[in-house]
Amino acid sequence: MNIVILGSGNIATHLGRAFKMAGQDISQVWSRDITHASSLADTLAAEAIDNMFDLDRSADLFIIAVKDEAIRETALELKLSDQLLVHTSGSTGLSALEGASTKIGVFYPLQTFSKAKSVDFRQIPIIIEANSPEVLSGIRAIADRLSEKVIELNSEQRKILHVAAVFACNFTNHLFGLAQELLEEKGLDYELLKPLIEETLSKIELNDPVSVQTGPAIRDDQATIQSHLELLKHNPALSELYTKLSQSIVNLHKRSQG
């Protein structure tokens, strides 16, 4: 299979590596910044381009892996006919590709990507969608080459999944960052929290997160909560977040109890 990747960021990088490891050929990497295109293309033995006129239109698959707001514009610039075109966004509908080709779909790897950290694509869920059963079958065959977990969802379902992923990943990571900042303000080492974080993550490997919730909010330990809020009074934003999260824990626990 001959593939053109449009984009040079985290997802483009990891998809390019995964396809290359699966024995697929990456013919070109396009980016509006030729330096960025070259940086990724060099690692994939591909041609770097920054002009759509230089596009290899004989490719079997075109993957748009750019910022969500640029997907529609990039798709229409391609001026394809019946070539297979997919985007990799979790929150953008399939409709963003309409009019760009007769064969369109979504190829969304549900994972957080950083260029410097490798991932095992076989364990990453790949969410797919297409504008016809025939195109969907083709995309599934491609996804099966990379992952053991290929799942078909429509655009609305995928958007809900993406929102849930923001809570589970982005917000959680932000809370880790706030915890680190809080400790470092007092000269304490963030490394002290890592065994706790690891244990928390290991618990939810085998259990429903709600069932293994711990902490002062779930115990209704108001003395500890008020003590924490006293410590946070110098930071109104963090104090407010602490209060809202504590109440959210209580509310979710009540709902889980019926």
Side-chain angles (χ1 to χ4, degrees):
M1 174 174 287
N2 193 4
I3 301 169
V4 171
I5 297 177
L6 298 112
S8 56
N10 291 333
I11 293 180
T13 297
H14 280 278
L15 272 178
R17 291 173 183 169
F19 275 116
K20 198 72 177 176
M21 290 181 64
Q24 309 306 305
D25 292 324
I26 312 298
S27 64
Q28 292 178 327
V29 174
W30 170 91
S31 173
R32 297 193 190 280
D33 187 323
I34 192 61
T35 303
H36 294 166
S38 296
S39 180
L40 176 55
D42 288 348
T43 69
L44 302 175
E47 177 189 11
I49 61 172
D50 63 354
N51 193 319
M52 291 290 187
F53 289 108
D54 298 323
L55 206 65
D56 176 11
R57 298 185 179 277
S58 67
D60 303 300
L61 172 64
F62 294 78
I63 302 175
I64 296 180
V66 299
K67 292 180 179 179
D68 288 2
E69 59 267 28
I71 290 174
R72 178 66 177 168
E73 178 186 358
T74 303
L76 294 179
E77 281 186 53
L78 286 169
K79 296 183 172 63
L80 301 178
S81 54
D82 61 351
Q83 298 98 322
L84 180 55
L85 172 66
V86 300
H87 74 64
T88 60
S89 170
S91 61
T92 303
L94 176 63
S95 60
L97 300 182
E98 288 179 355
S101 175
T102 60
K103 298 177 180 178
I104 58 174
V106 176
F107 194 95
Y108 168 48
L110 180 58
Q111 184 55 277
T112 175
F113 295 107
S114 299
K115 289 183 182 179
K117 189 176 186 303
S118 62
V119 295
D120 179 6
F121 244 91
R122 298 303 302 170
Q123 300 305 312
I124 296 175
I126 296 179
I127 314 304
I128 62 172
E129 184 182 4
N131 64 331
S132 75
E134 179 186 4
V135 176
L136 185 67
S137 178
I139 294 174
R140 177 176 290 279
I142 294 168
D144 283 339
R145 300 177 190 183
L146 300 189
S147 175
E148 299 172 359
K149 303 176 181 179
V150 179
I151 301 165
E152 178 190 347
L153 296 178
N154 63 38
S155 289
E156 288 306 309
Q157 291 171 318
R158 179 164 36 82
K159 288 178 184 178
I160 293 170
L161 179 62
H162 190 259
V163 172
V166 168
F167 274 96
C169 174
N170 306 137
F171 289 170
T172 301
N173 188 71
H174 176 63
L175 292 176
F176 293 155
L178 291 177
Q180 180 178 9
E181 184 178 62
L182 188 61
L183 288 173
E184 290 179 350
E185 283 178 358
K186 301 300 181 182
L188 296 171
D189 190 354
Y190 174 70
E191 291 292 321
L192 292 169
L193 290 182
K194 288 192 173 177
L196 175 66
I197 293 170
E198 290 170 2
E199 176 62 17
T200 301
L201 294 177
S202 70
K203 281 182 180 179
I204 62 173
E205 284 285 333
L206 300 173
N207 299 279
D208 181 336
V210 177
S211 70
V212 294
Q213 180 71 53
T214 62
I218 201 73
R219 300 192 304 268
D220 194 25
D221 184 350
Q222 291 300 318
T224 297
I225 289 172
Q226 293 308 312
S227 174
H228 288 172
L229 290 174
E230 179 66 21
L231 289 170
L232 296 174
K233 65 181 181 182
H234 69 288
N235 189 329
L238 205 56
S239 177
E240 181 182 7
L241 181 60
Y242 180 101
T243 299
K244 288 184 175 180
L245 287 174
S246 294
Q247 188 59 53
S248 182
I249 289 171
V250 171
N251 294 343
L252 181 56
H253 178 66
K254 287 180 179 178
R255 291 199 300 272
S256 71
Q257 299 300 307

